[in-house]
Amino acid sequence: MDVLASRYPDVYAHWRQNPEVFWAEAAADIDWYEKPTKIFDKDAGIYGRWFAGATCNTCYNALDRHVAGGRNGQVALIYDSPVTDTVKTFTYGRMLSEVQLLGAMLRDFGVEKGDRVIIYMPMVPEAVFAMLACARIGAVHSVVFGGFAAKELATRIDDAKPKVILSASCGIEGARVVPYKPMLDEAIHLAKHKPQACMILQRPQCEATMVEGRDHDWRKTWEHAVEYAKTSECVPVAATDPLYILYTSGTTGIPKGVVRDNGGHMVALKWSMQNLYGIDPGEVWWCASDIGWVVGHSYIVYAPLLHGCTSIMYEGKPVGTPDAGAFWRVIAQHKAVALFTAPTAFRAIRKEDPEGKQLSHYDLSRFRTLFLAGERADPPTIQWAEDLLHVPVIDHWWQTETGWCIAGNPVGLGALPVRYGSACVPMPGYEIDVVDEGCHKLPANKIGSIVIKLPMPPGAFPTLWQDDARFTQAYLEEFPGYYKTADAGFKDEDGYVYVMSRTDDIINVAGHRLSTGGMEEVLASHPDVAECAVLGIKDELKGEVPCGFIVLKAGVSRAPDVIEKEIVALVREKIGPVAAFKLVVTVQRLPKTRSGKILRGTIKKIADGDPWTMPATIDDPVILDEIGTALKGHGVGQS
Ligand code: COA
Ligand code: AMP
């Protein structure tokens, strides 16, 4: 590897030699009330805790510190919303006063340090203020992505037990207005835990009906707070206290509550902005994700603000709002130096404008780097983006659990040569091994389970919300001494990491992480379904989409296509539109091994039109022909 120009090998070696010295140096970039008594306390928590003994406040470091340090008039947030035809900017000073007010409003609802607040909101600035206001008063936020339906929201309400829920009357998906309030009401109805109050941001596109005694109008509450000059101070919290809980798909319908702490999170994110992404304070940075995902938490909100950047919040799509030039327009208009998005967004642009003609209308002269994550960046998409934009296109790999990049190309330290299909090299903090089932290290270029040597670095989750047992069982037990990523892949002879697929039933749909197990629970709840399976099949745009297979109960006489439509609607109702669940195939029986395991791998190959061989353990080979025929009937698989 040509690394002469990069400081990466030295920096990584420095970390390996003494991780605590490395992270203590990085921690000097954060303002602490009390400095840590131990950089790493190996006896605390499940695998140790970072910055034990320290106290801090994440909102202070994201806002107050910059206002005090001369960034009062610098724009902190640009809200760019083609769906409402709005562009608004908020300086650090203005953001601070909004967050101080909102912190006070939350306190008036009785929210105290350690209390949870659910934020179920579209991509509007108030959602960012809400996250920071929680951080300010020491409350723990849990943002729930707007594309999830009532049942998913209810599960999160019951797990997080929020004192207050913050929401809005609607989201706007392209040309469609999606009312949020009916989903919120239904979720509260379904949940056992009831919040004390909800505060609803009424958007002009859709007026929500309020529930007497429980719901409060955001604007009126704000006006009242302004009138009485309410404010809130930063509450010092332990570095190891939770900043937020973010639910992510697990292997069952019950999502995992990933916990993020305050101290380690700040240190890791601040370090990443300069060293990984190569961004200077004061520059304009754009992460085109959603605040409902971890990428949005880390790189729309926390990292750019901790670093004193201007962050763009985009309420729109890569195509259709209004056209495939939308991303170029935003970059040019706001002078963004880098963009971080999911490969699927670029596939969408490429599909609509294969020659990139839209680009000619915009000046991207300040644009330096494109970062992709959320799913494997397929080489054709990378090449297309490189040829069009003439900037480095950097794939990097991370998970909700880690909160920041595991393997990437550290542009700030000097970029390493790009190898298509690889997420590049481990970041400091991560020692990555590829192992077999017996936890033996595999040689270069051999595919196996990708694992991370414990302890996890600052920023990564210390546990699951009030479920240490599930954390240990799901992540630490299978490969002793390691964190199991549940991703499979390999390292090449130079240590470049290639992440190829999941080892569990998680699928990645348009960069969104979804559990097929969770979808199967919904299919199985339909009264006519005897048996079912859901698996991810190839999709040109979204990478993967879910495909359901159902076997009907004996005696069901209704037409299969009617039942299939009902099931599509049921998944949309129970999980949400984000599941992109549109395909159900009725089959006579499901192919299984003699021990009764459904042969998902083989079904997937048939659906994807990939070569497949008859599994030796199959109980009846004819079933695979039946599956192939049924898929063809739905226009899927090889002709
Ligand atoms: N609120 C309500 N509904 C939502 C939603 C939200 N916040 N986000 C998505 N949905 C809906 C969509 O409208 C769509 O509904 P439909 O079935 O009625 O069309 C459905 O959920 C699926 O959404 P999505 O998978 O995003 O598909 P899409 O066709 O709307 O857009 C892309 C496709 C590729 C343009 C889009 O997925 C995209 O921009 N992806 C970027 C991925 C990303 O940001 N990933 C985050 C990790 S980095
Ligand atoms: P999420 O927790 O939603 O961020 O999803 C994490 C999962 O997305 C990982 O476990 C991977 O399976 C996949 N993923 C994310 N980024 C990449 C990448 N750059 N290359 C390959 N897979 C990725």
Side-chain angles (χ1 to χ4, degrees):
M1 104 173 91
D2 169 20
V3 293
L4 289 178
S6 178
R7 292 194 292 123
Y8 167 78
D10 291 342
V11 172
Y12 191 74
H14 172 47
W15 164 73
R16 275 193 89 164
Q17 214 169 16
N18 197 333
E20 291 188 38
V21 170
F22 180 92
W23 289 117
E25 285 164 4
D29 275 350
I30 296 299
D31 277 3
W32 308 89
Y33 298 117
E34 306 266 353
K35 293 245 159 66
T37 46
K38 282 184 180 169
I39 297 301
F40 183 67
D41 181 356
K42 65 178 177 34
D43 299 318
I46 298 177
Y47 62 80
R49 297 301 305 263
W50 290 99
F51 308 110
T55 56
C56 56
N57 185 285
T58 296
C59 180
Y60 177 84
N61 277 277
L63 297 179
D64 304 59
R65 176 190 194 191
H66 299 306
V67 171
R71 295 192 189 279
N72 183 59
Q74 181 196 311
V75 173
L77 189 73
I78 300 172
Y79 165 59
D80 186 308
S81 169
V83 294
T84 59
D85 199 17
T86 312
V87 175
K88 273 191 197 164
T89 57
F90 300 88
T91 61
Y92 272 93
R94 168 84 193 281
M95 284 271 279
L96 178 57
S97 24
E98 291 293 345
V99 170
Q100 282 169 327
L101 272 170
L102 187 46
M105 286 149 66
L106 287 171
R107 296 199 73 140
D108 283 350
F109 286 126
V111 178
E112 300 287 341
K113 179 174 167 180
D115 287 340
R116 275 80 57 213
V117 173
I118 280 189
I119 301 172
Y120 181 60
M121 293 186 73
M123 288 283 284
V124 291
E126 287 80 358
V128 177
F129 305 160
M131 292 166 78
L132 292 164
C134 289
R136 186 168 192 86
I137 63 171
V140 180
H141 63 69
S142 186
V143 181
V144 178
F145 179 61
F148 283 122
K151 185 175 162 281
E152 291 287 321
L153 179 56
T155 313
R156 287 153 174 81
I157 293 174
D158 275 336
D159 199 65
K161 300 190 173 49
K163 209 170 227 181
V164 168
I165 300 183
L166 303 177
S167 190
S169 58
C170 64
I172 302 158
E173 280 294 294
R176 202 159 47 91
V177 172
V178 181
Y180 277 28
K181 189 61 184 2
M183 282 190 279
L184 175 63
D185 289 343
E186 173 66 8
I188 294 174
H189 170 70
L190 291 172
K192 286 195 196 76
H193 172 85
K194 309 291 175 195
Q196 286 176 15
C198 296
M199 189 162 71
I200 311 295
L201 183 75
Q202 295 280 15
R203 304 187 79 188
Q205 294 77 11
C206 166
E207 184 84 3
T209 323
M210 306 293 259
V211 173
E212 201 50 49
R214 186 197 72 192
D215 295 346
H216 302 261
D217 181 275
W218 192 303
R219 176 133 306 264
K220 284 189 194 140
T221 316
W222 180 88
E223 280 165 0
H224 182 265
V226 171
E227 194 185 333
Y228 288 90
K230 300 221 169 189
T231 189
S232 55
E233 292 308 315
C234 290
V235 172
V237 296
T240 50
D241 277 344
L243 168 70
Y244 69 76
I245 308 164
L246 179 57
Y247 289 89
T248 189
S249 300
T251 46
T252 66
I254 309 292
K256 294 168 168 166
V258 167
V259 173
R260 193 81 55 215
D261 68 11
N262 277 274
H265 178 243
M266 282 196 278
V267 172
L269 293 195
K270 175 83 174 86
W271 183 90
S272 73
M273 282 305 283
Q274 196 87 54
N275 297 287
L276 169 58
Y277 297 104
I279 304 297
D280 288 329
E283 289 192 310
V284 182
W285 158 266
W286 181 23
C287 173
S289 177
D290 187 287
I291 48 141
W293 304 114
V294 66
V295 169
H297 278 63
S298 295
Y299 290 99
I300 296 173
V301 184
Y302 288 112
L305 298 181
L306 289 168
H307 200 48
C309 292
T310 299
S311 180
I312 300 175
M313 177 181 215
Y314 176 68
E315 188 183 30
K317 298 263 172 186
V319 293
T321 57
D323 54 37
F327 272 25
W328 324 140
R329 194 268 303 158
V330 174
I331 293 171
Q333 185 169 336
H334 306 303
K335 304 184 175 55
V337 297
L339 165 64
F340 176 174
T341 189
T344 185
F346 267 71
R347 287 198 295 270
I349 298 170
R350 182 185 177 193
K351 191 167 167 222
E352 200 122 309
D353 181 18
E355 288 161 40
K357 287 191 181 134
Q358 289 281 355
L359 187 65
S360 62
H361 307 309
Y362 303 100
D363 172 12
L364 266 62
S365 54
R366 288 171 192 245
F367 186 61
R368 293 199 299 262
T369 328
L370 170 63
F371 295 94
L372 300 175
E375 56 177 319
R376 184 166 177 268
D378 51 300
T381 301
I382 298 188
Q383 274 162 331
W384 181 79
E386 279 177 344
D387 293 345
L388 186 69
L389 299 171
H390 305 292
V391 297
V393 179
I394 306 293
D395 182 14
H396 61 323
W397 167 51
W398 49 303
Q399 303 187 319
T400 304
E401 288 85 347
T402 64
W404 67 293
C405 171
I406 307 166
N409 195 335
V411 172
L413 297 174
L416 300 171
V418 168
R419 291 189 186 170
Y420 294 133
S422 169
C424 212
V425 293
M427 288 299 98
Y430 294 98
E431 190 167 329
I432 299 176
D433 282 322
V434 177
V435 297
D436 66 13
E437 283 169 5
C439 200
H440 306 110
K441 280 192 209 177
L442 291 169
N445 300 313
K446 280 274 295 174
I447 287 209
S449 292
I450 312 182
V451 291
I452 297 168
K453 196 110 180 238
L454 292 174
M456 297 289 274
F461 68 150
T463 190
L464 294 174
W465 178 247
Q466 295 187 330
D467 206 347
D468 288 352
R470 188 177 184 195
F471 172 80
T472 308
Q473 183 267 324
Y475 298 104
L476 306 187
E477 270 174 8
E478 192 170 338
F479 302 105
Y482 288 104
Y483 161 80
K484 169 183 153 185
T485 65
D487 277 318
F490 61 93
K491 288 197 291 185
D492 70 13
E493 45 292 317
D494 295 320
Y496 273 60
V497 180
Y498 294 73
V499 183
M500 306 307 289
S501 60
R502 292 283 301 193
T503 59
D504 55 13
D505 71 353
I506 300 291
I507 56 170
N508 208 307
V509 180
H512 308 318
R513 173 169 158 179
L514 297 159
S515 158
T516 54
M519 292 185 216
E520 283 177 6
E521 286 174 21
V522 177
L523 267 57
S525 73
H526 188 283
D528 293 341
V529 171
E531 232 189 328
C532 66
V534 175
L535 39 103
I537 63 172
K538 267 188 217 162
D539 182 79
E540 213 183 295
L541 175 66
K542 298 191 179 186
E544 266 182 314
V545 286
C547 175
F549 293 86
I550 51 169
V551 178
L552 298 179
K553 283 182 184 161
V556 171
S557 56
R558 296 194 309 133
D561 62 327
V562 173
I563 298 171
E564 289 167 8
K565 282 197 190 100
E566 285 171 7
I567 285 177
V568 167
L570 197 62
V571 173
R572 198 177 169 93
E573 181 199 321
K574 299 281 180 206
I575 296 179
V578 68
F581 185 87
K582 308 224 157 128
L583 186 62
V584 184
V585 181
T586 307
V587 291
Q588 293 303 315
R589 35 200 190 149
L590 288 165
K592 292 185 187 159
T593 61
R594 281 189 284 272
S595 61
K597 260 185 111 175
I598 297 171
L599 289 160
R600 290 162 201 279
T602 314
I603 306 179
K604 178 172 165 53
K605 284 191 179 133
I606 296 172
D608 286 346
D610 288 342
W612 57 278
T613 48
M614 187 64 69
T617 52
I618 192 164
D619 63 347
D620 185 352
V622 179
I623 305 179
L624 290 177
D625 293 334
E626 292 171 11
I627 294 277
T629 310
L631 278 165
K632 265 182 226 152
H634 286 71
V636 179
Q638 244 167 4
S639 53

